[in-house]
């Protein structure tokens, strides 16, 4: 029998939404749409950054901006939005410049005490920083860690994007690892509807992401990028993102698109053969760039040394290429690697995550 959809409403707390650029806001907005369209669960958004400027509605969702980063103001906003379930998208630096949003914890503690019906679900996009003694993150890390622990203890359901992060949360609160649901991030620029033949695609290599990530790809790993182009028969590098200060020097053509809409990025990804990344291999489950490449069935390619152990079932030569000077015969394996990566992604795509979040919400009602 078909599952009966139950109308419900939740409050999603995010640092900011569009027009601000941010992976967490994009993730929350897409999740809200999936919950509404697929599960009849309506979201209202509470913006945690009082300096955020934007519309009062996004895609039909009500938005309220907190007046200031204080526990009592958070409580007031939650009361105005009137829902018994809060989904907090947690990344400490999004709610306080040192990554220590004590006000957020205190406001949620007080809100939960107000009614036994109040339920908190936390998606931990980040846990806490680490740093060297001359960096501020070194000194703020213990407080960040204690805030993560307190929020995990306060929550009725906990989710995160890396298996390693889930293990850390479970240890902090003295619970089994099964008490934390692990969901590698979905693509925030859409998904391909089916696997496509790589040979039918243009000989394009996508380099996508923030200016700092792309600059690192060209400056620190330009030789690896050039080798990847030669190995895979790439004729054009398509650079997608905010303009760089300099024009990278490459042995193939370069097309710099600047900032594009999600739909325009989707068009570029749909017809490209490969995508280059420098994000650390152990952390790929939280990379929206890697998610985008795998969602569209590209061959994800990185530099040779970037093949550290990944706890989220991602392996070089199976789900991505880590090309070094000794890489031979890889062209025959490219199709299998692209398909393996796309199948890995399909297990936690947007629709699957919508189902899992909806299940968490329905259990909390």
């Amino acid at each position: 029998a078909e599952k009966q959809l139950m109308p419900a409403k939740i409050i999603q707390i995010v640092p900011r939404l569009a027009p601000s650029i941010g992976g967490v806001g994009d993730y929350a907005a897409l999740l809200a749409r999936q919950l509404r369209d697929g599960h009849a669960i309506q979201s209202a958004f509470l913006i945690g950054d009082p300096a955020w400027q934007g519309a009062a509605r996004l895609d039909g969702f009500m938005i309220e901006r907190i007046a200031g980063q204080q526990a009592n103001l958070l409580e007031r906003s939650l009361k105005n939005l009137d829902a018994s379930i809060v989904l907090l998208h947690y990344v400490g630096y999004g709610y306080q410049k040192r990554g220590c949003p004590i006000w957020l914890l205190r406001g949620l503690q007080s809100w939960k005490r107000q009614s036994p019906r109040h339920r908190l679900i936390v998606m931990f996009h980040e846990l806490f920083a680490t740093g060297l003694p001359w960096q501020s993150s070194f000194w703020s890390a213990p407080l960040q860690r204690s805030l993560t622990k307190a929020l995990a203890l306060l929550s009725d359901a906990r989710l995160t994007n890396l298996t390693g992060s889930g293990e850390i949360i479970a240890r902090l609160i003295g619970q089994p690892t099964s008490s934390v649901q692990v969901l590698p991030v979905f693509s925030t620029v859409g998904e391909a509807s089916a696997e496509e033949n790589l040979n039918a695609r243009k000989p394009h290599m996508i380099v996508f992401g923030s200016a700092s990530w792309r600059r690192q790809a060209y400056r620190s790993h330009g030789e690896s990028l050039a080798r990847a182009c030669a190995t895979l028969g790439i004729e054009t590098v398509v650079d997608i993102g905010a303009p760089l200060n300099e024009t990278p020097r490459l042995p193939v053509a370069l097309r710099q698109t600047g900032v594009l809409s999600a739909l325009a990025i989707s068009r570029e990804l749909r017809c490209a053969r490969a995508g280059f990344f420098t994000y650390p291999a152990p952390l790929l489950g939280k990379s929206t760039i890697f998610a985008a490449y795998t969602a569209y069935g590209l061959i994800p390619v990185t530099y040779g040394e970037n093949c550290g152990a990944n706890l989220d079932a991602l392996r070089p030569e199976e789900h991505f290429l880590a090309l070094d000077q000794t890489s031979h015969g890889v062209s025959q394996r490219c199709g299998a690697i692209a398909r393996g990566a796309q199948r890995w992604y399909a297990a936690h795509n947007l629709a699957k995550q919508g189902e899992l979040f909806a299940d968490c919400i329905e259990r909390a009602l």
Side-chain angles (χ1 to χ4, degrees):
E2 191 172 324
K3 187 176 178 182
Q4 184 68 38
L5 295 180
M6 183 175 2
K9 179 183 171 187
I10 64 169
I11 300 167
Q12 294 200 46
I13 302 178
V14 290
R16 54 197 71 85
L17 289 170
S20 299
I21 295 172
V24 173
D26 293 344
Y27 178 101
L30 286 167
L31 179 62
R33 193 176 305 156
Q34 185 68 26
L35 288 172
R36 179 189 63 194
D37 298 346
H39 303 276
I41 296 171
Q42 184 71 25
S43 294
F45 284 102
L46 179 56
I47 306 291
D49 178 1
W52 177 81
Q53 297 289 327
R57 285 189 175 270
L58 172 70
D59 195 21
F61 300 112
M62 189 190 312
I63 301 173
E64 179 162 323
R65 184 188 62 193
I66 193 165
Q69 294 183 328
Q70 298 172 32
N72 64 318
L73 296 177
L74 172 59
E75 283 184 76
R76 185 186 303 167
S77 290
L78 290 173
K79 186 176 180 181
N80 288 345
L81 291 171
D82 185 31
S84 61
I85 298 176
V86 165
L87 169 55
L88 168 65
H89 294 271
Y90 188 68
V91 46
Y93 287 98
Y95 300 102
Q96 201 272 338
K97 66 178 181 179
R98 298 289 187 198
C100 302
I102 298 168
W103 66 272
L104 181 65
L105 172 65
R106 289 180 176 163
L108 288 169
Q109 286 172 329
S110 180
W111 173 78
K112 279 209 78 179
R113 282 195 298 267
Q114 289 169 12
S115 169
R117 292 180 56 250
H118 287 176
R119 295 285 186 269
L120 175 66
I121 299 168
V122 182
M123 175 65 188
F124 290 92
H125 294 273
E126 302 278 355
L127 302 189
F128 44 79
T130 56
L132 297 167
W134 54 86
Q135 296 174 309
S136 63
S137 56
F138 175 87
W139 302 102
S140 60
L143 179 53
Q144 289 185 21
R145 182 187 292 262
S146 69
L147 284 168
T148 295
K149 177 180 178 179
L151 280 168
L153 286 168
L154 185 67
S155 62
D156 299 283
R158 309 161 196 92
L159 305 99
T160 192
N161 44 36
L162 296 175
T163 296
S165 297
E167 291 174 352
I168 290 169
I169 293 168
R171 279 200 304 273
L172 282 174
I173 62 175
Q175 294 285 330
T177 53
S178 58
S179 67
V180 186
Q181 174 80 51
V182 177
L183 294 173
V185 296
F186 53 75
S187 166
T188 55
V189 289
E191 302 167 348
S193 54
E195 293 179 9
E196 295 178 33
N197 185 354
L198 274 181
N199 296 327
R201 296 180 172 215
K202 295 177 183 176
H204 289 178
M205 173 81 79
I206 304 290
V207 179
F208 174 39
S210 69
S212 59
W213 280 113
R214 285 159 38 239
R215 198 175 294 115
Q216 182 189 53
Y218 297 124
R219 284 184 182 173
S220 304
H221 305 290
E223 285 185 19
S224 296
L225 177 56
R227 189 180 304 120
C229 290
T231 302
L232 302 177
I234 299 299
E235 297 173 8
T236 304
V237 167
V238 181
D239 178 271
I240 303 175
L244 303 172
N245 300 347
E246 72 261 36
T247 302
R249 298 178 65 179
L250 295 168
V252 296
L254 172 69
R255 178 159 61 86
Q256 295 174 289
T257 69
V259 176
L260 296 178
S261 68
L263 184 61
I265 295 169
S266 172
R267 281 197 289 265
E268 295 288 353
L269 292 169
R270 201 177 294 278
C271 66
R273 188 176 296 168
F276 192 80
F277 68 90
T278 60
Y279 205 80
L283 307 179
L284 285 175
K286 64 192 288 185
S287 168
T288 52
I289 306 307
F290 186 79
Y293 293 163
T294 57
Y296 285 93
L298 278 71
I299 310 160
V301 191
T302 189
Y303 58 96
E305 300 81 19
N306 191 18
C307 53
N310 180 288
L311 300 178
D312 299 298
L314 285 169
R315 290 176 289 276
E317 303 298 313
E318 287 186 47
H319 306 98
F320 62 94
L321 272 176
L323 279 175
D324 59 24
Q325 287 155 320
T326 62
S327 297
H328 298 294
V330 298
S331 55
Q332 293 85 358
R333 302 194 299 277
C334 285
I337 290 168
R339 286 191 297 274
Q342 193 169 12
R343 287 167 189 164
W344 173 84
Y345 176 82
H348 58 266
N349 62 17
L350 177 55
K352 294 273 174 57
Q353 297 207 26
E355 288 174 12
L356 286 162
F357 273 97
D359 189 49
C360 280
I361 292 161
E362 285 164 10
R363 282 203 307 268
L365 284 169

